[in-house]
Amino acid sequence: MNIFDLTGRVAVVTGGNGGIGLGIAQALAAQGCNVSIWGRNAEKNKSAAASMAGSPGKVDTRVCDVTDPASVNTAMKATLDTFGRVDGCFANAGIGGGGRRAFIDRTEEEWRTMFATNLDGVFHAFQAAARHMTDRANAGDPFGRLVATSSIASIFGTARNEHYAASKAAINAMVRALGVELARFGITANAILPGWIKSEMTAGIMANEKFVANVMPRIPMRRFGEASDFGGIAVYLMSKASSYHTTDCFVIDGAYAAY
């Protein structure tokens, strides 16, 4: 038996219409997992689903604002109506640093907006998924996977984006607590921490020769990877093989850390 065969499993991927989220959704579908992509933009959702045409797993999309609990609950109900179950939830919501201003110059609104955007999406999606998973476990079907994408900033900090680092560290803390709380239901909770990823967002940074020469060597996890690399991590964490890696930290390929 192939322990990474996800045929028949169902995963929700929030923000799965681009970047890391899309790489995760594509990898899961390629392993036979049915995937429900939740994102705000219907056209991007449609494009993401088209990129997985021909995959063994069925792909479904939902227009959903993951920071709004009502929207999340509606999307979860629709996903359950379509697939009958949800086995995993990969929360990829959030925004970046929002500028390089000093901590003492930040406003209350900036602080609250950063925390709300980065934390609420994970909280609402995880809560909706966990309620379903625990109900299923109580009915004799103990299996569930909660995975959040976080940031190496949550471990190493980041100059003048400290409120971003704090919000991501809060996600890691929540994941660890959920790992303890939900273990008795057969539900694991983990966070994937991206390193440096090739994307439109980082293209300008990597075009700066001084940055590459002087800064990159000092970044602990500095391999420059593809968003699709996280797909392999997602498949592993979704599989039965990851049952004992709840809240443990391990490094993959010398570059990517997961909790």
Side-chain angles (χ1 to χ4, degrees):
M1 177 180 176
N2 181 0
I3 59 174
F4 298 113
D5 181 5
L6 306 182
T7 301
R9 296 291 185 191
V10 181
V12 167
V13 182
T14 71
N17 52 23
I20 294 170
L22 179 58
I24 288 173
Q26 290 172 332
L28 292 171
Q31 288 292 323
C33 187
N34 300 316
V35 179
S36 184
I37 295 173
W38 295 1
R40 290 188 177 98
N41 190 307
E43 287 302 312
K44 286 186 176 180
N45 289 351
K46 182 178 178 181
S47 176
S51 74
M52 286 172 264
S55 296
K58 180 181 178 182
V59 180
D60 176 61
T61 66
R62 302 287 166 192
V63 175
C64 177
D65 177 0
V66 292
T67 66
D68 176 18
S71 183
V72 168
N73 289 334
T74 298
M76 178 60 73
K77 182 181 184 304
T79 300
L80 291 173
D81 287 345
T82 298
F83 294 113
R85 60 187 290 133
V86 168
D87 298 293
C89 180
F90 293 79
N92 192 45
I95 56 176
R100 294 178 58 78
R101 292 197 294 119
F103 173 75
I104 57 175
D105 296 326
R106 294 284 179 179
T107 67
E108 178 80 4
E109 182 180 1
E110 288 175 319
W111 175 265
R112 294 193 180 280
T113 298
M114 177 64 68
F115 264 71
T117 306
N118 283 332
L119 288 172
D120 286 4
V122 177
F123 175 84
H124 296 314
F126 273 12
Q127 190 175 67
R131 283 173 174 161
H132 163 69
M133 292 172 183
T134 54
D135 285 346
R136 213 177 60 225
N138 287 327
D141 183 12
F143 184 90
R145 300 289 186 257
L146 302 176
V147 183
T149 56
S150 184
S151 170
I152 58 172
S154 63
I155 298 177
F156 303 114
T158 176
R160 296 201 170 192
N161 280 329
E162 53 288 307
H163 62 326
Y164 167 72
S167 67
K168 292 299 185 179
I171 290 174
N172 292 349
M174 182 174 71
V175 163
R176 286 186 171 123
L178 285 174
V180 174
E181 179 179 337
L182 299 175
R184 67 190 180 93
F185 298 102
I187 301 171
T188 63
N190 294 276
I192 302 175
L193 282 67
W196 287 93
I197 307 302
K198 290 180 181 177
S199 70
E200 293 180 2
M201 292 177 62
T202 59
I205 295 174
M206 297 312 295
N208 185 326
E209 294 181 0
K210 288 185 178 179
F211 178 86
V212 173
N214 299 323
V215 179
M216 282 292 281
R218 297 200 295 271
I219 297 174
M221 291 183 286
R222 59 180 175 270
R223 185 166 82 80
F224 209 51
E226 306 283 350
S228 58
D229 293 343
F230 288 88
I233 302 174
V235 168
Y236 171 78
L237 291 176
M238 184 70 171
S239 72
K240 288 185 176 181
S242 67
S243 295
Y244 298 103
H245 274 141
T246 301
T247 71
D248 288 340
C249 178
F250 53 101
V251 177
I252 299 171
D253 196 19
Y256 304 128
Y259 278 90

